[in-house]
Amino acid sequence: MGCIMLVLGVDAGGTSTRAVLATADGQCVGYGRGGSGNPTSSGVSLARDGVFDAVGQALRVAGADLGDVTGLAMAIAGHDSGGGENSWILDPLRERGFRGALHFESDLLAMYSSGAVAPVGYGVVCGTGASAVRVQGGRVAAAADGLGWLLGDRGSGFWIGRRAAHAVVDQLEGVGAETALTPLVLHAAGVAVDGAAEPGRDGRPIGLERLIRALYAQRPVRLATLAPLVFDAAEAADPVACGILERAGELLVQTIELVQQGSGPVVAGGSILARDGAPRRLLREHFAAAEGEYPVVLVDSGAAGAAVLALRNAGAPVDERVLARLRAGIPAG
Amino acid sequence: MGCIMLVLGVDAGGTSTRAVLATADGQCVGYGRGGSGNPTSSGVSLARDGVFDAVGQALRVAGADLGDVTGLAMAIAGHDSGGGENSWILDPLRERGFRGALHFESDLLAMYSSGAVAPVGYGVVCGTGASAVRVQGGRVAAAADGLGWLLGDRGSGFWIGRRAAHAVVDQLEGVGAETALTPLVLHAAGVAVDGAAEPGRDGRPIGLERLIRALYAQRPVRLATLAPLVFDAAEAADPVACGILERAGELLVQTIELVQQGSGPVVAGGSILARDGAPRRLLREHFAAAEGEYPVVLVDSGAAGAAVLALRNAGAPVDERVLARLRAGIPAG
């Protein structure tokens, strides 16, 4: 591949890793996916495998090797401070012939850069977690939330899923309204819906004890997997589900307001905003009402943005056209 | 000890175990304490040690041995169904000479029986968790809450502690009111209060990131340890802390209403009700307003009640006088 500059953008998430091998004009010449690339959440060994699986695929597609790569930008939550703890991935990269520069980048900056090239703007993610950033001068200038499932992530998929579980528990316990979420959540938790309302040993519905047992048997963060059921129930006009999604959207807007200062493009990502519903609607209404309206750009990962950051780090200018080419060249999903 | 009937009441909790060796007329002739006696939360090996430490002490004080014991009632959360899975404790008891009858009992029934002998009444516990039961015919006829920290325990110590952490996070994040809880919670989490409000890397207060890191480093249920700080702040008239405790009290009353059906004595236990504050006040007001007023009796464990249940299981009648004697004979704490 000799004289063509190649960079690697790696979006290393807690669930999956995406690698984009790109040229200076934004051609995606290779793309690959791997498992978790976050050493904090998954351990160094798994994260290294995730990154090398994705990178290896991207290189194979292009018939390139690590020696051809000028720079690598790795977007990863909690690792945007750069320097220091990069030996877990830099050492094996060097062993396999990588001679370029490695930069760690904010996962939120990569997400923003997947949708906008303006040096000033906003990134909003609402998936399992929720957070917002203001980008200024091409860096993260202010951040809000992203404080985790136990104490933050207001309006996130976890927040929505926990509210759904609560609504069902409250109905079965007799302190909450009847909701269409109940059969949906019972079914998702593997609890028989038929007979769930029958009184058990202590007078409470049999389904309550079974649901509690099923939900405590999994990691708390798995409550986020109930969020799609809330969208389903809201589409069927269930008032409890509608209320949960409206409130989630309000909280998300509140998080955005914490970093908002002037106008700029808005890039949105994450499973909750990917779906049509109150959170995305309230987000759009909020920015439509704000001075100097910008459309909300939806992106499905930070992969293109990681490549953008790798190009910028290598001194290659990135404009709308380069970004559009990158986005068009990256397979969906 | 020959001809005097002796029974053992064991209150096997998740943190500590209490054993009471009692005669038929309610004399406490031995008392002992051990670590956790709950095999579900602590594992069989630790739980067995906890029970035998407590039982061993109680027997030593009286110069008795297991062969002298007619019956043993073991109060333990989630084990009130009796039968089946008791070999973890029955086998070693038999090996050490126990020839009497072993009964598992509801921890909430033991708590109730520590404060009342009436066959109909109410037990309310608010410690790390929260639950209420209606006792009828000397058994638990209805139960409410006790659904755990993630999905239930409304108004409990965990609920209060999590609200406190949220209030502090919200203040530092800029979405919540200023509260006296902030310095208290930061200090308790080992985060320097001086300079906590200074802006950090992403523009947010340094104290926020440090607090989040400290709180996520511990098990979620440890948030319950913040509850006493909410009482402290409420005593100093902090509106946020007062609001948390009022709401906790309302939720606890709501839980009680789920099992309430006619009047009877009310026995209350747990660290949140042991302390003067809104939850206990609202509980007292609720029952004072109810038809056929009974005073709320506070108890500090289910130890006396476990002995009461052991006596009843052995066919010995227990009246007010026997219970009073038992309670007087058990050391505090």
Side-chain angles (χ1 to χ4, degrees):
Chain A
M1 310 280 297
C3 56
I4 303 177
M5 183 177 89
L6 285 176
V7 298
L8 266 169
V10 177
D11 181 26
T15 307
S16 65
T17 298
R18 291 168 176 83
V20 172
L21 186 67
T23 62
D25 62 350
Q27 296 222 43
C28 171
V29 295
Y31 177 75
R33 287 190 62 160
S36 168
N38 189 322
T40 307
S41 62
S42 304
V44 160
S45 170
L46 269 181
R48 207 188 274 135
D49 289 350
V51 172
F52 275 101
D53 284 350
V55 165
Q57 275 176 44
L59 291 169
R60 262 196 306 283
V61 170
D65 60 49
L66 274 170
D68 302 319
V69 177
T70 305
L72 192 159
M74 195 147 116
I76 182 166
H79 285 65
D80 45 324
S81 50
E85 284 312 299
N86 62 7
S87 59
W88 67 276
I89 194 70
L90 186 56
D91 291 353
L93 282 167
R94 291 277 183 250
E95 277 167 31
R96 296 171 204 206
F98 177 63
R99 296 183 309 268
L102 169 70
H103 293 274
F104 281 127
E105 301 283 355
S106 152
D107 57 330
L108 286 160
L109 182 63
M111 203 273 305
Y112 172 77
S113 306
S114 284
V117 294
V120 177
Y122 300 96
V124 186
V125 174
C126 190
T128 300
S131 54
V133 290
R134 183 174 75 248
V135 175
Q136 225 165 291
R139 314 305 304 169
V140 172
D145 207 345
L147 299 176
W149 62 271
L150 184 61
L151 298 169
D153 289 348
R154 303 179 293 271
S156 67
F158 175 81
W159 186 95
I160 292 169
R162 183 172 59 185
R163 281 290 175 108
H166 259 126
V168 174
V169 166
D170 286 356
Q171 183 195 326
L172 293 173
E173 177 78 329
V175 294
E178 195 174 326
T179 165
L181 287 168
T182 299
L184 296 175
V185 168
L186 286 172
H187 181 75
V191 176
V193 175
D194 281 353
E198 299 291 313
R201 198 159 42 84
D202 59 8
R204 290 194 274 190
I206 289 173
L208 178 61
E209 189 188 341
R210 291 184 181 158
L211 177 64
I212 288 288
R213 201 179 299 147
L215 295 180
Y216 278 97
Q218 60 184 21
R219 291 165 53 219
V221 78
R222 295 279 303 163
L223 290 179
T225 62
L226 301 175
L229 305 179
V230 184
F231 282 88
D232 296 345
E235 279 163 14
D238 179 68
V240 172
C242 290
I244 292 173
L245 291 187
E246 289 284 328
R247 183 69 189 136
E250 288 168 10
L251 290 171
L252 198 60
V253 167
Q254 192 184 54
T255 295
I256 290 155
E257 286 175 328
L258 286 170
V259 297
Q260 230 176 319
Q261 207 174 82
S263 66
V266 181
V267 180
S271 56
I272 299 303
L273 293 174
R275 191 154 170 181
D276 196 21
R280 191 163 83 189
R281 176 172 51 75
L282 290 174
L283 177 72
R284 286 204 159 120
E285 286 171 9
H286 174 73
F287 281 106
E291 203 193 337
E293 181 187 340
Y294 277 89
V296 173
V297 180
L298 290 172
V299 296
D300 67 359
S301 84
V308 166
L309 296 171
L311 287 174
R312 287 214 183 107
N313 290 336
V318 177
D319 59 14
E320 298 279 2
R321 203 175 308 180
V322 171
L323 176 58
R325 204 175 286 131
L326 266 172
R327 291 187 67 175
I330 296 174
Chain B
M1 309 278 298
C3 55
I4 304 177
M5 182 178 89
L6 285 176
V7 298
L8 266 169
V10 177
D11 182 26
T15 308
S16 65
T17 298
R18 293 169 174 83
V20 172
L21 186 67
T23 62
D25 62 351
Q27 295 223 42
C28 171
V29 295
Y31 177 75
R33 287 191 62 161
S36 168
N38 189 322
T40 308
S41 62
S42 305
V44 160
S45 170
L46 270 180
R48 206 186 275 135
D49 289 350
V51 172
F52 276 101
D53 283 351
V55 165
Q57 274 176 45
L59 291 169
R60 263 195 306 282
V61 169
D65 59 50
L66 275 170
D68 302 318
V69 177
T70 305
L72 192 159
M74 194 144 116
I76 184 166
H79 285 64
D80 46 325
S81 50
E85 283 312 298
N86 63 6
S87 59
W88 66 277
I89 195 71
L90 185 56
D91 291 353
L93 281 168
R94 292 275 183 251
E95 278 167 31
R96 296 172 205 205
F98 177 62
R99 297 183 308 268
L102 169 70
H103 294 273
F104 281 127
E105 300 284 353
S106 152
D107 57 330
L108 286 160
L109 182 63
M111 204 273 306
Y112 172 78
S113 305
S114 284
V117 294
V120 176
Y122 300 96
V124 185
V125 173
C126 190
T128 300
S131 53
V133 290
R134 182 175 75 248
V135 174
Q136 225 166 291
R139 313 306 302 170
V140 171
D145 206 347
L147 300 175
W149 61 272
L150 184 61
L151 297 170
D153 288 348
R154 302 179 294 271
S156 68
F158 175 81
W159 187 96
I160 293 169
R162 183 171 62 183
R163 281 292 175 108
H166 257 129
V168 174
V169 165
D170 286 356
Q171 183 195 328
L172 294 172
E173 177 81 329
V175 293
E178 198 175 324
T179 165
L181 287 168
T182 299
L184 295 175
V185 168
L186 286 172
H187 181 75
V191 175
V193 175
D194 282 354
E198 299 290 315
R201 197 160 43 83
D202 59 7
R204 290 194 274 189
I206 289 174
L208 177 61
E209 191 188 338
R210 292 184 181 158
L211 176 64
I212 289 288
R213 201 178 300 150
L215 295 180
Y216 278 97
Q218 61 185 19
R219 289 166 53 219
V221 77
R222 294 280 302 163
L223 290 179
T225 61
L226 301 175
L229 306 179
V230 184
F231 281 88
D232 295 345
E235 279 165 13
D238 178 68
V240 172
C242 290
I244 292 172
L245 291 187
E246 288 284 327
R247 183 69 189 136
E250 287 167 12
L251 290 171
L252 199 60
V253 167
Q254 194 183 54
T255 295
I256 290 155
E257 285 174 329
L258 285 171
V259 297
Q260 232 176 319
Q261 207 175 83
S263 66
V266 181
V267 181
S271 55
I272 299 302
L273 293 173
R275 191 154 169 182
D276 195 21
R280 192 164 82 190
R281 176 173 51 76
L282 290 173
L283 177 72
R284 285 203 160 122
E285 285 172 10
H286 173 74
F287 281 106
E291 203 192 338
E293 180 186 343
Y294 277 89
V296 174
V297 179
L298 290 173
V299 297
D300 67 359
S301 85
V308 166
L309 296 171
L311 287 173
R312 286 213 185 108
N313 290 336
V318 177
D319 60 14
E320 298 279 2
R321 202 176 306 180
V322 170
L323 176 58
R325 205 177 285 131
L326 266 172
R327 292 187 66 175
I330 295 175

